[in-house]
Amino acid sequence: MPKVVNYRMRNLFLLIFISTALATTLIVPSDQYPTIQSGIDAATVGDTVLVSDGFYDENLILDKSIVLASHAIHDDLSEWVTDDTGQWVVANSHISSTRIRGYNPDNPDFGSVIFISPNSDECIQPEVIGFTIEGGSGTSVTRVNDESEAYSVRLGGGILADVSDPLIHFNQFLDNGSNEVFSGGGTYSTTEPSDWGFDNRRNSQPRCEITEIRISDNLYSGNDAIYGNSFA
């Protein structure tokens, strides 16, 4: 009996193998990538931006399907938090020691520590794992009320995710937001492009079939907003 070869499946496996083989790990900080943002900007789809322990005073734009990770990504995270006299605290040294701090944004309107937003019509699926994310003040966005009047609100102190499908897990969100943040002191995520706009600053309209918000296994402390201190 002649052997039947499924060329379509073979080509698919070959494509997956090539994509995996070409994925790169970009180390931050390094001579080539002194900041997290420089690593993100240089990364391509499937790459990992691996951040060493330290304090990083940055407000990041994450606009592609990459992994943004501390060295906690290599650890067993089954017991990454512990109960210390009735209060949960981070037990993993990389998570507690790798801090992205958004206290002083270059543009006060973009005060989220990490702003996840696609720069094209493609749905992006970045992963954020293993950080302490602190001091974010949220990002000012424009909404339209029932009378077609535009008004501004501030959303997402720690992370603001535009229409995208991020995986956000094993992070500590610390002291983000304020009583000036309308919603999502720690994180804010949306599945609908019509939720808010950015005037002409950043306003891609990707096609994302989002059935589940993938935000899990995070620790929230000291975050503040009018609605949703931890997330919304």
Side-chain angles (χ1 to χ4, degrees), residues 11-230:
N11 290 339
L12 175 60
F13 291 145
L14 180 61
L15 179 61
I16 293 173
F17 173 78
I18 291 174
S19 299
T20 303
L22 293 178
T24 301
T25 298
L26 291 73
I27 304 299
V28 175
S30 63
D31 291 342
Q32 194 169 7
Y33 311 112
T35 65
I36 299 175
Q37 190 64 62
S38 64
I40 293 172
D41 292 344
T44 59
V45 173
D47 286 351
T48 295
V49 176
L50 184 62
V51 182
S52 299
D53 292 8
F55 286 15
Y56 301 85
D57 295 319
E58 301 187 55
N59 297 81
L60 305 174
I61 295 177
L62 180 53
D63 57 5
K64 60 193 75 170
S65 296
I66 62 173
V67 177
L68 177 61
S70 76
H71 284 267
I73 195 172
H74 300 306
D75 295 339
D76 177 2
L77 297 177
S78 59
E79 297 182 357
W80 72 284
V81 292
T82 186
D83 186 351
D84 182 14
T85 64
Q87 182 176 358
W88 290 104
V89 296
V90 174
N92 181 276
S93 63
H94 293 304
I95 295 174
S96 61
S97 299
T98 313
R99 296 176 174 247
I100 311 175
R101 309 189 302 179
Y103 292 104
N104 297 299
D106 292 334
N107 183 345
D109 285 341
F110 287 83
S112 302
V113 180
I114 304 177
F115 175 41
I116 300 175
S117 178
N119 59 6
S120 68
D121 291 337
E122 295 184 6
C123 183
I124 62 172
Q125 296 180 303
E127 178 180 356
V128 180
I129 175 173
F131 296 96
T132 291
I133 296 167
E134 65 177 301
S137 57
T139 295
S140 179
V141 303
T142 300
R143 282 179 168 170
V144 177
N145 62 22
D146 294 338
E147 287 72 38
S148 299
E149 298 169 333
Y151 66 100
S152 294
V153 294
R154 190 170 286 273
L155 304 174
I159 290 181
L160 175 59
D162 196 354
V163 180
S164 55
D165 186 21
L167 173 58
I168 301 168
H169 59 158
F170 299 110
N171 302 286
Q172 174 179 213
F173 289 85
L174 181 64
D175 297 335
N176 297 285
S178 69
N179 57 11
E180 296 181 357
V181 172
F182 179 75
S183 189
T187 61
Y188 186 97
S189 183
T190 179
T191 62
E192 297 294 334
S194 59
D195 187 24
W196 43 264
F198 275 95
D199 299 326
N200 293 319
R201 288 176 284 174
R202 292 180 70 88
N203 196 15
S204 300
Q205 301 294 322
R207 296 181 178 273
C208 267
E209 297 295 332
I210 302 171
T211 59
E212 180 182 36
I213 301 296
R214 300 188 298 157
I215 301 175
S216 64
D217 296 298
N218 298 293
L219 181 65
Y220 298 87
S221 178
N223 303 286
D224 190 19
I226 298 173
Y227 299 102
N229 290 340
S230 296

